[in-house]
Amino acid sequence: MENKHMLMIPGPTPVPEKVLLAMGKHPIGHRSSGFSEIIAEITENLKWLHQTKSDVLMLTVSGTGAMEAGIINFLSPGDRVLVGNNGKFGERWGKISRAFGLEVEEITAEWGKPLDSEAFRKKLEFDNQKHIKAVIITHSETSTGVINPLETINKYVKAHGEALIIVDAVTSLGAINVPVDDWGLDVVASGSQKGYMVPPGLGFVSVSQKAWEAYKTATLPKFYLDLGAYRKATNKNSSPFTPPVNLMYGLQVALQMMKDEGLEAMFTRHRRLTEATRAGVKALGLPLLADDEVASTAVTAVMSTGVTAEAIRSTIKKQFDISLAGGQDHLKGKIFRIGHLGFVSERDILTVIAALESTLIILGNQRATPGVGVAAASKILG
Ligand SMILES: Cc1ncc(COP(=O)(O)O)c(C=O)c1O
């Protein structure tokens, strides 16, 4: 049936009708006073979302562009950086850093496990000469559904004193607490197609005062992603280049929806949806990749048994028009991922668990009592 598609991947995420309609308006001039007012409102609300009084800058890029901006504005060739790598996006931080000639030391963990904060503590404590210029980590590792111990690692970064903490919060902003000022996070990168409930195309970078100090001496080349230019323009409620006017109409509405819900309520909703998803999947007899204590509230990675993850994904798509994400790299075919980030409700979770159960029955792989998945999810939500 047309127009019944259900998007349950960790990005792009579903977009509320209100946001879609807002984007359908005619564009206006990006240097007009009317558009300046929109930039002013968005900027204020981005600061609210990031829980910061410092700058949050908006770029016409995907999440990776925001990550790249987070590196090239604050570091210089040959700078030593400590990168956490326990999945596809931690690995990406390493790739970006190497591409720009940084000296990268990776702290790795198995995919599906969180980063070990002790490993960071040891490296940072040992660095008496203060050679480490940045610690770079992914908060919510979307490829595995693991949340990394950002708060603890950041404490060790603060004790070190010199290094900046640079964070990929692409699937954590809006889904879990990321109190930028309280924790003193220096650079936080995110993208519109995740918790923001807006289509892809906008990237965001928050920048602390300490990071701006580093900016003054950073010598990596930059032009389009020079955050100094964005700061200057944003302070005048403007943008250095032509921004995606219609996406920003959508963002204006989406941020207001987030404000109306409130930060705490938003985080609680994501936690409940995660718990219900995990309970439903477990009851269906499918193992989860990440342990409960380190589960991301954006996405749940499920291991397939008896039938491949790709068979589950293609059947649930064909039969129920529900899109789930697959595994990446060596996890391809072994896991599938259920996104529950952004504009997702309890009804969506019950639907996906029920459809998953029917899918397992169709594939002849149903070992649990029929209805048990929905019952377990409902118990959490009830
Ligand atoms: C944690 C994380 N970081 C970075 C990205 C990259 O974002 P993009 O594909 O928008 O460049 C994603 C996208 O899925 C992500 O989940």
Side-chain angles (χ1 to χ4, degrees):
M1 186 185 240
E2 246 188 303
N3 278 324
K4 271 289 188 189
H5 181 56
M6 190 176 176
L7 194 57
M8 294 296 284
I9 64 174
T13 62
V15 178
E17 199 146 310
K18 239 170 131 172
V19 174
L20 290 170
L21 288 171
M23 291 190 308
K25 288 187 301 193
H26 281 289
I28 57 172
H30 63 289
R31 304 282 179 221
S32 64
S33 60
F35 201 68
S36 277
E37 282 168 28
I38 293 175
I39 295 182
E41 183 185 321
I42 287 176
T43 303
E44 194 190 312
N45 289 344
L46 284 173
K47 290 183 185 190
W48 165 82
L49 178 65
H50 286 73
Q51 303 176 63
T52 183
K53 290 193 165 46
S54 195
D55 298 292
V56 183
L57 306 168
M58 194 167 21
L59 320 170
T60 312
V61 291
S62 76
T64 308
M67 292 165 76
E68 183 165 318
I71 298 269
I72 62 178
N73 282 276
F74 309 107
L75 296 163
S76 302
D79 274 356
R80 206 167 144 218
V81 295
L82 212 51
V83 172
N85 175 359
N86 59 335
K88 187 80 186 163
F89 297 102
E91 179 183 83
R92 186 167 301 177
W93 272 133
K95 285 184 179 171
I96 300 171
S97 302
R98 281 188 206 93
F100 285 99
L102 302 180
E103 189 191 317
V104 177
E105 185 172 1
E106 286 194 355
I107 292 182
T108 59
E110 196 186 322
W111 286 35
K113 301 279 180 248
L115 292 168
D116 175 15
S117 50
E118 275 303 289
F120 285 84
R121 183 182 64 74
K122 285 182 194 147
K123 290 282 178 200
L124 288 160
E125 277 184 7
F126 187 71
D127 182 36
N128 296 321
Q129 303 294 315
K130 309 293 177 196
H131 287 313
I132 300 172
K133 297 300 174 205
V135 171
I136 308 177
I137 68 164
T138 306
H139 190 199
S140 164
E141 180 45 79
T142 319
S143 59
T144 60
V146 164
I147 199 95
N148 279 316
L150 170 61
E151 189 177 4
T152 311
I153 293 172
N154 182 50
K155 278 190 187 136
Y156 303 136
V157 176
K158 291 290 164 285
H160 179 271
E162 168 74 18
L164 296 171
I165 178 96
I166 300 178
V167 182
D168 169 346
V170 169
T171 54
S172 56
L173 257 185
I176 191 168
N177 200 20
V178 188
V180 169
D181 282 0
D182 264 14
W183 288 359
L185 303 176
D186 294 306
V187 178
V188 175
S190 59
S192 56
Q193 79 277 27
K194 308 285 184 176
Y196 289 89
M197 309 183 288
V198 172
L202 281 166
F204 309 91
V205 189
S206 78
V207 184
S208 72
Q209 287 315 309
K210 182 174 173 182
W212 282 126
E213 282 305 309
Y215 171 86
K216 288 181 190 162
T217 54
T219 59
L220 278 173
K222 52 195 166 286
F223 180 75
Y224 183 66
L225 296 180
D226 182 342
L227 293 181
Y230 288 85
R231 174 165 65 164
K232 211 168 142 196
T234 305
N235 285 341
K236 293 188 214 148
N237 296 324
S238 181
S239 60
F241 311 107
T242 311
V245 170
N246 290 55
L247 277 179
M248 287 167 66
Y249 288 156
L251 178 64
Q252 184 187 20
V253 172
L255 284 169
Q256 191 55 54
M257 283 178 72
M258 292 168 108
K259 281 191 89 172
D260 291 345
E261 184 175 10
L263 285 178
E264 267 316 311
M266 222 156 51
F267 304 149
T268 304
R269 173 170 56 87
H270 280 87
R271 199 167 49 243
R272 275 163 58 78
L273 298 183
T274 305
E275 283 170 14
T277 305
R278 294 175 68 84
V281 169
K282 278 187 209 167
L284 292 176
L286 296 175
L288 297 167
L289 183 64
D291 290 340
D292 289 343
E293 308 73 53
V294 294
S296 164
T297 51
V299 54
T300 296
V302 184
M303 290 189 269
S304 51
T305 52
V307 57
T308 70
E310 290 312 294
I312 293 175
R313 281 201 330 120
S314 64
T315 306
I316 204 167
K317 175 72 182 68
K318 186 160 166 254
Q319 195 75 20
F320 301 105
D321 207 359
I322 297 178
S323 286
L324 303 179
Q328 292 169 290
D329 292 352
H330 64 279
L331 291 180
K332 194 167 176 58
K334 299 199 174 106
I335 64 163
F336 63 89
R337 294 171 299 146
I338 304 172
H340 33 73
L341 171 63
F343 189 56
V344 178
S345 71
E346 299 186 356
R347 189 183 65 199
D348 297 325
I349 301 303
L350 291 177
T351 304
V352 82
I353 295 294
L356 183 56
E357 176 164 331
S358 293
T359 299
L360 294 175
I361 292 170
I362 292 166
L363 292 170
N365 191 46
Q366 170 65 330
R367 287 162 297 146
T369 314
V372 80
V374 171
S378 305
K379 209 165 151 195
I380 303 284
L381 299 174

